[in-house]
Amino acid sequence: MFVLDSQIASEELDNGVVRKIKGYIDDLMLVELTWKAGQEGVLHHHPHRQCDYVVKGRFEVTLGGEKRALGPGDCFYVKADVPHGVKALEDGGVLLDIFTPMREDFIKREDFIK
């Protein structure tokens, strides 16, 4: 499967972060998130395992009760059901979220064809 960025719709989440689902198969999903300074992904947990890669910008990441500032090239890994959250420290930050299995709660099957 090939996914062209120009053919993917973005959506603005309740917190103002812009999400683009880059693609998925049953056991894997890639999501791009674009942030402005001060926007937060509040502390939450889910059964999916997750890896995040900082493409651009700086973020304060809370993972299992520990906080760290991360910048371009840094990443963090989240085991299933571990509380985690993110706060953008500057405008224009970009994170890549990688989930396994894919997040069915993120998609509308008719909006994205595998």
Side-chain angles (χ1 to χ4, degrees), residues 50-64:
Q50 176 178 347
C51 173
D52 272 60
Y53 177 78
V54 180
V55 176
K56 191 165 115 177
R58 296 196 54 76
F59 295 88
E60 179 183 83
V61 177
T62 303
L63 177 59

